[in-house]
Structure formats: C-alpha cells, structure tokens
Amino acid sequence: MTRVFSGIQPTGELHLGNYLGAIRNWLPMQHETDAVFCVVDLHAITVPKPPGEVGADSLRLSQLLMAAGLDPEVCTLFVQSHVREHSEAGWLMQCSVSFGELSRMTQFKDKSDQHDFISAGLFTYPALQAADILLYDTDEVPVGEDQRQHIEITRDIAERFNSRYGETFVLPQAVVPAAGARVMDLQRPDNKMSKSLDSPKGTVNLLDEPERIEKKIKSAVTDNDGEVRFDVDEKPGVSNLLSILGAATDRDPVTLADDYHQYGALKVDTAAAVVELLTPFQARFAELEADPGETTRLLRIGADKARDIAATTLARAKSNIGLLAD
Ligand code: ATP
Ligand code: LTN
C-alpha cells in the first residue's frame, strides 16, 4: 500500500490556508493509503518559544486535526518529539546535506528575516524534515505549494545517502493539490495566508466565529476595475476569493467567475461557503477540547505505531553507514 506522510507545525491557530491547502486533502488518504501524520513540535522550536507553549499547542493542534476528520483509529497521528528516532535520523541527514544546499532554501531566507535570533536549527530544518519523511519509507508527501523545495531536497538527501551507503531510503514525491493549493492573505493577497504574517484581518482562523469570518471576507482587499475574473497576477484579491469559494464548494475557480458580476455577491457567497464548511468542524473541536485525556491516549497509540516503523528504518540506515553495532 502507498505510504503517505505529512507534517504540520504546532504554531498558533490553524487557518483556512492550512485547511484547504493541506489538511482537507489528507482526509481521503487515510482510507486509500497507509497514512502517517505528524505534529512537528521539534520543527516549531527552531524559533524561540515561551516555556510550555509548544506542548499546549501540540495538544490543541492534534485536537484540531481530529476535529477536521483525521481519525487516529484509521491513520497514524503522533507528536514528533514522542518518537526519538526523528532527532537521531535528523543528525544523519545533516551529515548528508551541504551548507550550500541548505543556503538555497527559500523558507529559511523568509523566516530568518522575521526573527532576531536565527538558530542553527532553523538553518538545518530541512534535514530534520527529510528524516521525518524518509523514516517512514514514504512514497507521497501531501503538502502545499510552498513545501515543494523541501521535498526536492529530501529526495536529494535520500539519493546521496543511497549512493554513499547503498539502498536505504525510498525516494518520496510531493503531492500538491491543484484547487485551493495556495490561499492568500485577505488583506495582502500577494502573500500566502500564514500564521507568521501577523495579519489578523487577512487570516481566517478555523475557530473564528461565523460573524468574524463574514466580516473578514467582506472586507477582503480586491481592486477597482469591478470585473470578476480569475487572474492571479492581475487580480490577486478577486482570484483568491474565487479560489476559496471554489475549494469550499468543489468547483473550478475559473468557471465560477462566470456566475458573478459584482464583488459584493462573490464575497457574500464565499463567506457563506466558508461558514458552512467550518461549523461542523467547530462543534467537533469543542467536544475534543473538553476531554484532553482522551487526546493524550490516542496520541500515545499513534507514537507507538510510528516508533515501530521509524526504529526499523533508522536501524537500517545506521547499519548501512557501518556504525559499530551496540
Ligand atoms: P508559517 O506561517 O509559520 O510558515 P503556515 O501558516 O505556513 O506557517 P505550516 O505549519 O508551515 O503553516 O503549514 C502546514 C501546511 O499548510 C503545509 O502543508 C503548508 O503547505 C500548508 N499551507 C500553509 N499555508 C498555506 C496557504 N496559505 N495556502 C495553502 N496551503 C498552506
Ligand atoms: N516544513 C513543513 C512542516 C513539515 C513537514 C514535514 C511537511 C515538517 N516535517 C514532513 C511534510 C513532511 C512546513 O513548514 N509546512
């Protein structure tokens, strides 16, 4: 069966971009593939965090994922730091990637501009991500467009390791969905919707109340020519609304544009579609939030399943390098 692996950082809240660009596409995979999903807390601490925050965020994100429809009885859902093999394999990956390759990563360039303290971990982040993926003999990695470069470097690392030490790792492939792959900020539609953009009015959080969602979508930045047309370069704001409405209603944003002659109507329908999408999700989250012990129990089962797979792959990698057996 195809092995699918993806990871998501426990930072702040989840937004509509995370949901439409990533999580929603994970749901059917649970049933069609052998799917492993990881809350990547070790990636989150590549930027400084107040003590205690990451743990609370990991629990909350796990509940958000379960509310969105990830079923820990069907897929494997776990927290990265619960499976030590990730840190250990991360070191092996750091030794199989060059300074030059890491220097070309656009996410590092973006994130290092946003922080005063630039950790070495932020720089070597792609090596840990490669470990995440390669430990599970992953065939496919479902991610948003922004992660393509990280999957490419993972392949390069795996190829280098295999050619140095013999066949060890499966070469993974990125799977990027076409519709809704990139949701843009509602106020700054040239930027992707992102937790770290710090644009509260431009970011629809999955737990926002319906009135708040309506308000944000109705005040989305568009343009002055009044024409509803899907054209990302010329009309980023309008195209973003069409993408969101298209992704929420399973329709093609280009043909959707023919149904609208005014921005107002497009905004009303987009807001209604997003509210409809999120209402049942919010109700499930409230139930899970009320019982954190149950989430912890499910995450422990997930970590046990993940560790079984990861330990086997790590042992193979160490043995192929020729490290002295313990
Ligand atoms: P940050 O702002 O810290 O970079 P983020 O909001 O981009 O965080 P991540 O945790 O990096 O979120 O990403 C989780 C998943 O959501 C990834 O698969 C990523 O590709 C996807 N994703 C993030 N933002 C968007 C977006 N605006 N549109 C589509 N997919 C997105
Ligand atoms: N770098 C990713 C998160 C991530 C990931 C992974 C995604 C860490 N490890 C493994 C896919 C597979 C991000 O910032 N979205």
Side-chain angles (χ1 to χ4, degrees), residues 44-65:
I45 58 167
T46 54
V47 298
K49 297 280 171 185
E53 189 176 290
V54 187
D57 280 351
S58 297
L59 181 71
R60 191 174 170 81
L61 176 61
S62 303
Q63 291 167 337
L64 288 167
L65 294 173

Side-chain angles (χ1 to χ4, degrees), residues 2-5 26 29-30 33-37 74-77:
T2 304
R3 170 68 52 71
V4 163
F5 182 99
W26 296 355
M29 295 176 186
Q30 305 177 84
T33 68
D34 182 355
V36 181
F37 299 109
V74 181
C75 66
T76 302
L77 174 66

Side-chain angles (χ1 to χ4, degrees), residues 5-9 40 43 80 107 111 125 129 132-133 141-143 146-147 150-151:
F5 182 99
S6 200
I8 181 160
Q9 291 202 43
V40 292
H43 280 98
Q80 188 183 28
Q107 182 170 299
K111 291 209 172 172
Y125 178 117
Q129 182 164 350
D132 300 340
I133 297 168
V141 189
V143 278
D146 60 306
Q147 289 298 307
H150 284 164
I151 313 308

Side-chain angles (χ1 to χ4, degrees), residues 71-112:
D71 180 350
E73 313 264 346
V74 181
C75 66
T76 302
L77 174 66
F78 73 105
V79 175
Q80 188 183 28
S81 65
H82 294 177
V83 179
R84 289 160 194 260
E85 283 76 5
H86 287 251
S87 305
E88 194 173 341
W91 179 255
L92 304 185
M93 299 303 110
Q94 285 189 55
C95 299
S96 300
V97 67
S98 73
F99 183 86
E101 285 169 315
L102 292 173
S103 307
R104 289 192 283 278
M105 293 292 114
T106 53
Q107 182 170 299
F108 173 72
K109 291 183 208 164
D110 292 347
K111 291 209 172 172
S112 54

